[in-house]
Amino acid sequence: MGTCFASLCGGSPSASTSYEDVVWSLAAPDHVEPESEVVISWKVPQNYGIAWIGIYKQGQEDDTKAIQWNYINDANGSLVFPFKGLEDNAEYEARIFQGEEYDKKKAISNSFVVGSWTISVDQRIEKSKPVYAYYTAPSNFRAGWIGLFRASAKDSEALDYVNIDKPSGYVSFSTEKLVTDFAYEARIFHGSGFECKKKSSFFTLVS
């Protein structure tokens, strides 16, 4: 019996992915703390040849003005860029190019913001007065919450919480549920889950 090839005998060839099926893509973190490294991930076709990634201030129309750049060395992976040349409270993006020039821009990453998360409260608060928690978040912040906790509590054990949708401001909490025998703290979270970004210093109540 002769050899049967799928293309001749009615069978289906096995599925395969050609080089051109892979889309050029880049991913950046949403937020970078000042003086921290920036990790950019990429995925490109296997036959990409030569390609490089540049970091740009968002809105920069001139592709020749990369703040930093580096070649990639594989079809997928990540590059670590130092904080050099980046500014606090500014927004950036990564761009990937094929070849040695600027005319084959293949993808742009999501934007990322350099900025700090902060939260603070007074260290001693009178029992009859509210707790004010002052906070800052990166400028691309859209939603999160601030919770009031006993100092040793888990992130899921908030005594009270307030949703926030601005990158800076303050929230207030009643002291009715608090007692003078414990230390407390405020915590700021990104999104609706338990991604805690910063904790305040401890505070106590005074009669």
Side-chain angles (χ1 to χ4, degrees):
M1 190 173 183
T3 302
C4 179
F5 295 96
S7 59
L8 300 177
C9 303
S12 299
S14 60
S16 63
T17 301
S18 72
Y19 292 152
E20 296 305 320
D21 289 337
V22 178
V23 177
W24 292 70
S25 64
L26 285 175
D30 292 330
H31 163 251
V32 174
E33 288 284 341
E35 305 302 326
S36 297
E37 296 174 329
V38 182
V39 180
I40 304 296
S41 300
W42 77 85
K43 186 175 182 180
V44 301
Q46 290 286 346
N47 61 343
Y48 66 89
I50 295 174
W52 57 277
I53 294 172
I55 302 293
Y56 294 81
K57 200 163 190 176
Q58 193 175 48
Q60 174 58 261
E61 296 181 358
D62 188 347
D63 288 331
T64 68
K65 294 185 177 179
I67 298 168
Q68 301 180 51
W69 67 275
N70 209 341
Y71 290 110
I72 66 171
N73 58 8
D74 204 347
N76 61 79
S78 60
L79 277 174
V80 178
F81 290 89
F83 191 76
K84 179 181 177 182
L86 306 184
E87 301 173 353
D88 199 3
N89 296 315
E91 198 160 355
Y92 299 90
E93 65 190 23
R95 304 173 191 175
I96 189 166
F97 299 82
Q98 186 177 27
E100 298 279 8
E101 302 299 330
Y102 302 95
D103 58 340
K104 291 185 178 180
K105 181 164 54 183
K106 292 296 189 177
I108 300 174
S109 75
N110 56 290
S111 63
F112 64 92
V113 168
V114 174
S116 299
W117 296 81
T118 66
I119 186 165
S120 62
V121 297
D122 291 336
Q123 290 186 317
R124 292 172 64 82
I125 297 171
E126 292 185 23
K127 174 69 174 174
S128 59
K129 295 184 178 180
V131 178
Y132 291 99
Y134 298 86
Y135 72 92
T136 62
S139 59
N140 65 343
F141 171 81
R142 296 293 180 269
W145 57 283
I146 292 176
L148 195 61
F149 296 82
R150 287 187 178 181
S152 60
K154 298 177 182 178
D155 288 337
S156 59
E157 298 175 339
L159 300 171
D160 199 0
Y161 73 94
V162 177
N163 291 318
I164 54 176
D165 59 6
K166 297 178 181 179
S168 64
Y170 72 90
V171 299
S172 62
F173 298 96
S174 169
T175 57
E176 289 183 3
K177 298 179 181 179
L178 310 185
V179 295
T180 56
D181 296 334
F182 290 96
Y184 300 92
E185 65 187 13
R187 304 174 192 172
I188 184 169
F189 295 82
H190 186 209
S192 59
F194 297 103
E195 185 185 348
C196 181
K197 290 298 187 180
K198 200 76 172 181
K199 298 179 182 181
S200 74
S201 56
F202 295 157
F203 68 90
T204 56
L205 297 184
V206 294
S207 300

